């Protein structure tokens, strides 16, 4: 039976995502009401620039006083799409204290302060949903938190940033250099004027922290995630990858240790076999590969950013939270009972592709192999080429720890026959 009294929604932020949320709430009002069991009412929109024309939004709803809006007391759900840490954190906790549940798309805030926000939601008996914080429109958080709640997730491996995937895909398909591919991404609107958060891996690291926390029932903060950007990836690296039957992706990797006693979360560029499903994720799309004990291998794929895709995820959460509101219940909160330690970077174990510039003379390969052996790093394959006294030596290892590989590289640099270390890249997706 349809409830006649509407559920009141406050919207914090009306940019690309917020304006699309408001549009969908209006154009699909009847369908949303039918799915929820009550109509939705946009009760207020907090913005920084009130004079800007916002098509489809009653100017009387617009305010610059976000704090007053969330304190009204008659708001059922606050939708936060302003991003950043403050004032978003204070506005969300204030909303809980004044009776509202919250839907957020704020990956940075959830990654940094998810535990305290969940605690505030629990204290006041309210919901905190944030499907849109990771991978845009792709349903991912709810499947991990609910659909796989009875399973044991061992690994989450994914492409969670569309800007970097577009750049790397352009480098791979056209042979372009990093800067040329970045310029194209910027011209097409895939990269911000300042692309640092994307290309240096900060955006993906926040998403990795969220995914690891949910997958492993453990609090994983942004500071726990090892991060490398992809600005040093070159056309030569792609050439090496192709020789191995691989491509290069910026990956977010969350893993449970083999003994189950710890977890790791990391973001870095890596070679991945062309046979792996993630290798075929093109342009600005996202995809996440989940490995669990009972369900096996699952892949989630789709647009990971943009106004409409992100708004889709926000609206999905809004429907769920409103249903809970009508039923007098709350959805799943934080699950951190496992409290597994997050392993330091040096304990991470993976394969490596190392390219060395060496002297082209007898005995070089033997010297290099000896250094690897002395540091306990097993070599899988070696490829050497060169002329006129200079050569390139490419070594691919079996799985080794970061700590062991670091010691190996340091020792290699001391060899008279090694002119330099051209590149080091992980190999994933075996």
């Amino acid at each position: 039976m349809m409830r006649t009294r509407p559920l009141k929604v406050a919207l914090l932020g009306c940019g690309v995502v917020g304006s699309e949320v408001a549009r969908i709430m209006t154009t699909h009002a009847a369908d949303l009401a039918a799915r929820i069991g009550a109509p939705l009412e946009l009760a207020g929109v907090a913005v920084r620039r009130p004079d800007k024309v916002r098509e489809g939004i009653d100017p009387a709803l617009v305010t610059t006083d976000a704090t007053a809006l969330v304190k009204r007391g008659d708001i059922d759900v606050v939708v936060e799409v302003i991003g950043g840490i403050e004032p978003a954190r204070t506005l969300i906790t204030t909303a809980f204290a004044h009776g509202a549940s919250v839907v957020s798309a704020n990956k940075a805030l959830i990654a940094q302060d998810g535990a305290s926000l969940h605690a505030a939601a629990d204290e006041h008996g309210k919901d905190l949903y944030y499907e849109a914080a990771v991978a845009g429109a792709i349903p991912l958080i709810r499947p991990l938190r609910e659909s796989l709640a009875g399973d044991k997730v061992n690994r989450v491996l994914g492409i969670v940033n569309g800007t970097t995937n577009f750049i790397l895909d352009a480098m791979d398909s056209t042979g372009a250099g990093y800067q040329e591919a970045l310029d194209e991404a910027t011209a097409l609107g895939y990269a911000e004027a300042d692309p640092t958060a994307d290309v240096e891996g900060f955006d993906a690291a926040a998403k990795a922290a969220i995914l690891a926390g949910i997958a492993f029932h453990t609090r994983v903060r942004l500071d726990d995630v090892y991060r490398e950007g992809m600005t040093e990836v070159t056309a030569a690296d792609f050439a090496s990858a192709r020789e191995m039957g691989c491509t290069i992706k910026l990956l977010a990797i969350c893993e449970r240790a083999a003994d189950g006693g710890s977890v790791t979360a990391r973001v870095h560029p890596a070679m991945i076999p062309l046979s792996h499903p993630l290798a075929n994720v093109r342009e600005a799309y996202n995809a996440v590969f989940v490995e669990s004990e009972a369900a096996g291998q699952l892949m989630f794929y789709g647009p990971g950013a943009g106004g409409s895709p992100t708004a889709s995820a926000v609206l999905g959460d809004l429907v769920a939270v409103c249903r809970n509101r009508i039923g007098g219940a709350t959805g799943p909160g934080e699950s951190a009972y496992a409290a597994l330690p997050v392993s330091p970077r040096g304990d991470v174990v993976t394969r490596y592709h190392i390219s060395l510039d060496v002297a082209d003379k007898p005995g070089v390969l033997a010297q290099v192999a000896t250094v690897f052996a002395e540091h306990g790093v097993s070599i899988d394959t070696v490829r050497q080429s060169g002329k006129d006294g200079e050569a390139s030596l490419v070594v691919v290892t079996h799985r080794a720890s970061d700590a062991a590989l670091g010691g190996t590289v340091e020792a290699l640099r001391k060899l008279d026959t090694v002119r330099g270390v051209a590149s080091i890249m992980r190999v994933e997706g075996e």
Side-chain angles (χ1 to χ4, degrees):
M1 181 177 178
M2 177 73 72
R3 194 178 86 166
T4 56
R5 184 172 68 83
L7 290 160
K8 294 188 176 183
V9 178
L11 181 60
L12 307 183
C14 198
V16 174
V17 176
S19 59
E20 189 66 9
V21 170
R23 184 192 69 79
I24 295 173
M25 284 181 61
T26 301
T27 58
H28 299 296
D31 285 338
L32 291 171
R35 295 166 192 172
I36 292 168
L40 293 179
E41 176 188 331
L42 186 59
V45 182
V47 299
R48 285 197 299 255
R49 294 178 292 168
D51 297 332
K52 180 179 178 180
V53 176
R54 294 173 172 86
E55 186 177 349
I57 295 178
D58 183 351
L61 296 178
V62 176
T63 178
T64 58
D65 194 343
T67 300
L69 179 59
V70 300
K71 281 184 173 180
R72 275 178 36 174
D74 64 336
I75 300 297
D76 294 289
V77 184
V78 169
V79 174
E80 183 272 309
V81 288
I82 57 178
I85 305 302
E86 288 291 358
R89 173 171 49 199
T90 298
L91 290 170
I92 289 173
T93 55
T94 301
F96 291 142
H98 286 79
S101 290
V102 173
V103 172
S104 176
N106 196 330
K107 54 187 171 289
L109 179 58
I110 301 300
Q112 178 171 307
D113 290 313
S116 63
L117 293 177
H118 275 294
D122 290 344
E123 177 186 354
H124 296 287
K126 298 297 178 284
D127 276 324
L128 173 63
Y129 276 47
Y130 42 89
E131 183 69 63
V134 180
I138 305 172
L140 184 58
I141 289 177
R142 194 170 295 133
L144 283 173
R145 191 163 64 174
E146 300 178 29
S147 303
L148 295 175
D151 205 343
K152 181 181 180 182
V153 176
N154 291 318
R155 194 174 195 229
V156 180
L157 173 74
I159 298 164
V160 295
N161 183 276
T163 299
T164 54
N165 199 59
F166 181 90
I167 292 170
L168 292 173
D169 183 47
M171 293 176 69
D172 188 22
S173 59
T174 69
Y178 166 75
Q179 189 60 52
E180 184 182 351
L182 173 60
D183 290 344
E184 181 185 5
T186 304
L188 293 173
Y190 290 119
E192 301 286 345
D194 179 1
T196 303
D198 294 322
V199 299
E200 293 295 352
F202 291 102
D203 175 87
K207 296 169 182 177
I210 295 170
L211 292 175
I214 296 171
F216 306 134
H217 304 278
T218 291
R219 287 179 179 169
V220 179
R221 289 171 51 87
L222 181 57
D223 291 345
D224 294 322
V225 181
Y226 170 70
R227 175 194 56 80
E228 285 180 24
M230 41 76 73
T231 58
E232 300 301 318
V233 176
T234 66
D237 291 325
F238 274 100
S240 294
R242 282 190 289 273
E243 290 178 358
M244 291 181 58
C246 294
T247 188
I248 299 171
K249 299 292 185 181
L250 185 75
L251 299 177
I253 305 166
C254 312
E255 293 180 306
R256 189 189 299 268
D259 63 5
S262 64
V263 299
T264 60
R266 50 198 165 99
V267 169
H268 53 71
M271 294 182 180
I272 189 167
L274 294 174
S275 58
H276 194 283
L278 291 179
N280 295 313
V281 178
R282 308 300 300 273
E283 298 184 337
Y285 277 78
N286 283 193
V288 177
F289 206 70
V290 177
E291 300 174 9
S292 67
E293 287 196 353
Q297 297 179 332
L298 306 170
M299 183 167 167
F300 301 82
Y301 170 86
S308 293
T310 306
S312 171
V314 170
L315 267 296
D317 278 352
L318 181 60
V319 168
V321 169
C322 287
R323 286 171 175 169
N324 293 342
R325 191 88 174 182
I326 290 174
T330 56
E334 182 189 33
S335 176
Y337 73 91
L340 297 171
V342 180
S343 296
R345 172 192 172 187
D347 293 344
V348 172
V349 176
T350 187
R351 296 175 67 207
Y352 289 90
H353 176 283
I354 305 104
S355 180
L356 305 171
D357 295 326
V358 300
D360 187 15
K361 62 182 183 180
V364 173
L365 180 55
Q367 286 183 332
V368 169
T370 297
V371 170
F372 276 89
E374 289 174 346
H375 289 81
V377 178
S378 175
I379 294 176
D380 182 15
T381 63
V382 178
R383 185 175 69 255
Q384 184 173 0
S385 61
K387 61 181 180 179
D388 299 328
E390 299 297 330
S392 174
L393 188 66
V394 174
V395 178
V396 179
T397 74
H398 288 291
R399 293 177 68 84
S401 70
D402 265 15
L405 196 281
T408 303
V409 172
E410 184 177 350
L412 288 170
R413 294 184 193 276
K414 296 177 180 179
L415 292 178
D416 291 339
T417 52
V418 175
R419 309 294 192 225
V421 180
S423 68
I424 302 171
M425 189 167 294
R426 293 171 179 80
V427 181
E428 298 285 350
E430 299 171 78

